[in-house]
Amino acid sequence: MSQSLVGEPEIRLDELFTEFRAGSLRLRNRFAMAPMTRGKSPGGIPNAENIDYYRSHAAGGVGLIITEGTYVRGPAAGPSDSVPRFYGYESAAGWRAVAEAVHAEGVAIVPQLWHTGVERGDEPRFEPDTASVSPSGVDFTGRPVGRALTEDDLDTLVESYVESALLARDLGFDGVELHGAHGYLLDQFFWTATNHRTDEYGGKPHDRAQFPARVVAAVRTAVGPNFPIIYRFSQWKGSDYQARIAESPGELEQLLNPLVEAGVDIFHTSLRRHWLPEFTDHGHDLSLAGWTKKITGLPVITVGSVGVDSVFRGDSIDETQAQRFSTLRDQFAGGEFDIVALGRALLADPEWVNKVRAGRLSEITPFR
């Protein structure tokens, strides 16, 4: 990867090394560390290894760190006992230390709050005696898994998200991200394959957005007007890369507008290829990030194979790094996004952002 960048001044990303502000959120540049599940918190408690991991990535030059997915209290939030939780005294102490280490490097940090829903499966290691829950009690193939969420369950889930968001605020984090992407719980309400409900939370796109919007609204009420809420969503799912929640800008608008009205500050559009247009027959060659910003008017984070040679869990990429950096720069100049998140590139080289800024491209350790 690094050799393809050497000696090509046209691919410099100087425009992205500018400050970003949104409400109380202040970032030194437009680069974020994307959330990446690691499973390295035994018993769900962040430890010294976690602190060092986040500190090193903060020192590497990003402006924002979005933590790996962290379980809310539940019910049945996820399958793994080694995924960190964002509730309880011991977890709070670990996360406070993480936040302090990141802030010492001049970097903002937000936790990603996560419930896996039906993706938890039938044989979880964490809370194995509790049945998995989801909008309709089925996976994307229609196979029964666990049970459908009741009204009481929905109330409990809202309280769980609020509990974790308040903890983030009290621990000194700079905001929260709600994980509504990749086929997990909040996304399961968006997706017709997993949402067969006939109440106010199922049916048309606007109705399928009502429970995620209810979570956002409850978090907003609890944390107040100045604590940033980021909402991550995607078309693709971990179980189906071809899945779509919206076939047109109009459908996307119906899904996103309730979230805007509920209090989202920033959208995080999860893509596997950030450079591809999303709705090719609607007169604009905009990415999903670009359409999201056009529809909502809110700041947007883009992501998707930046700085790596292959698509996430996919084939190698035909476009060169220089071509994709040029596209990224053009997308930013065109107002399609405000922040770009990096995942695998930072796993391979935590200093990636510092090296790009300094022009030390030949020193970048590529992801393999």
Side-chain angles (χ1 to χ4, degrees), residues 13-139:
L13 300 175
D14 294 347
E15 300 90 342
L16 296 176
F17 289 97
T18 54
E19 186 181 62
F20 171 81
R21 297 188 177 193
S24 63
L25 187 65
R26 301 288 187 272
L27 308 182
R28 63 187 182 185
N29 60 46
R30 308 301 182 107
F31 292 95
M33 178 179 174
M36 292 174 283
T37 298
R38 306 173 64 236
K40 293 189 176 182
S41 298
I45 310 301
N47 55 25
E49 189 276 341
N50 300 157
I51 296 168
D52 289 341
Y53 170 79
Y54 284 110
R55 178 192 291 113
S56 68
H57 283 85
V62 296
L64 172 67
I65 285 179
I66 306 169
T67 73
E68 62 205 284
T70 69
Y71 291 160
V72 297
R73 191 178 289 274
S80 174
D81 192 49
S82 61
V83 166
R85 303 162 207 167
F86 215 89
Y87 60 87
Y89 177 80
E90 289 183 288
S91 289
W95 282 118
R96 186 188 298 277
V98 169
E100 290 173 351
V102 170
H103 285 155
E105 299 292 341
V107 175
I109 182 171
V110 302
Q112 185 187 73
L113 306 184
W114 189 25
H115 192 297
T116 63
V118 73
E119 288 296 310
R120 179 173 177 263
D122 291 320
E123 299 179 351
R125 296 183 302 279
F126 178 47
E127 298 179 339
D129 296 329
T130 302
S132 295
V133 294
S134 63
S136 301
V138 297
D139 68 12

Side-chain angles (χ1 to χ4, degrees), residues 10-303:
E10 70 276 12
I11 53 87
R12 289 189 62 88
L13 300 175
D14 294 347
E15 300 90 342
L16 296 176
F17 289 97
T18 54
E19 186 181 62
F20 171 81
R21 297 188 177 193
S24 63
L25 187 65
R26 301 288 187 272
L27 308 182
R28 63 187 182 185
N29 60 46
R30 308 301 182 107
F31 292 95
M33 178 179 174
M36 292 174 283
T37 298
R38 306 173 64 236
K40 293 189 176 182
S41 298
I45 310 301
N47 55 25
E49 189 276 341
N50 300 157
I51 296 168
D52 289 341
Y53 170 79
Y54 284 110
R55 178 192 291 113
S56 68
H57 283 85
V62 296
L64 172 67
I65 285 179
I66 306 169
T67 73
E68 62 205 284
T70 69
Y71 291 160
V72 297
R73 191 178 289 274
S80 174
D81 192 49
S82 61
V83 166
R85 303 162 207 167
F86 215 89
Y87 60 87
Y89 177 80
E90 289 183 288
S91 289
W95 282 118
R96 186 188 298 277
V98 169
E100 290 173 351
V102 170
H103 285 155
E105 299 292 341
V107 175
I109 182 171
V110 302
Q112 185 187 73
L113 306 184
W114 189 25
H115 192 297
T116 63
V118 73
E119 288 296 310
R120 179 173 177 263
D122 291 320
E123 299 179 351
R125 296 183 302 279
F126 178 47
E127 298 179 339
D129 296 329
T130 302
S132 295
V133 294
S134 63
S136 301
V138 297
D139 68 12
F140 77 106
T141 69
R143 181 178 70 93
V145 177
R147 61 179 179 82
L149 289 158
T150 66
E151 285 290 340
D152 287 344
D153 292 330
L154 296 176
D155 292 343
T156 299
L157 278 169
V158 171
E159 293 170 1
S160 295
Y161 281 100
V162 167
E163 175 188 16
S164 293
L166 284 172
L167 179 61
R169 187 193 65 180
D170 294 345
L171 293 177
F173 280 76
D174 301 285
V176 293
E177 176 169 286
L178 304 180
H179 196 343
H182 306 165
Y184 296 118
L185 180 72
L186 296 180
D187 194 25
Q188 287 158 24
F189 280 89
F190 271 17
W191 195 19
T192 56
T194 48
N195 185 347
H196 303 168
R197 297 179 74 98
T198 57
D199 59 8
E200 66 268 35
Y201 301 121
K204 297 179 180 179
H206 178 271
D207 298 326
R208 299 199 306 273
Q210 291 310 302
F211 182 69
R214 179 181 165 190
V215 172
V216 172
V219 170
R220 171 56 67 216
T221 297
V223 300
N226 298 318
F227 193 68
I229 299 173
I230 303 170
Y231 193 93
R232 194 179 210 206
F233 76 97
S234 67
Q235 297 267 38
W236 67 276
K237 318 302 171 198
S239 55
D240 183 358
Y241 290 160
Q242 305 307 313
R244 299 178 69 79
I245 57 172
E247 296 293 347
S248 69
E251 289 187 357
L252 184 63
E253 185 173 11
Q254 290 181 61
L255 290 168
L256 297 185
N257 277 351
L259 302 179
V260 175
E261 294 167 3
V264 167
D265 295 293
I266 299 170
F267 281 104
H268 185 176
T269 57
S270 181
L271 304 164
R272 296 178 71 227
R273 302 169 179 83
H274 74 84
W275 58 93
L276 293 183
E278 187 61 37
F279 304 112
T280 56
D281 56 349
H282 286 80
H284 297 278
D285 290 331
L286 298 176
S287 65
L288 183 62
W291 277 109
T292 299
K293 190 163 185 182
K294 180 179 178 64
I295 287 168
T296 68
L298 293 178
V300 171
I301 303 171
T302 194
V303 70

Side-chain angles (χ1 to χ4, degrees), residues 296-346:
T296 68
L298 293 178
V300 171
I301 303 171
T302 194
V303 70
S305 303
V306 177
V308 294
D309 291 332
S310 63
V311 178
F312 176 62
R313 292 183 178 174
D315 297 330
S316 61
I317 297 169
D318 292 334
E319 293 88 350
T320 67
Q321 288 286 350
Q323 289 171 322
R324 286 185 287 129
F325 270 36
S326 179
T327 299
L328 187 70
R329 187 180 59 189
D330 291 345
Q331 288 176 318
F332 181 69
E336 290 196 42
F337 70 90
D338 301 270
I339 299 167
V340 57
L342 301 155
R344 292 169 293 155
L346 293 183

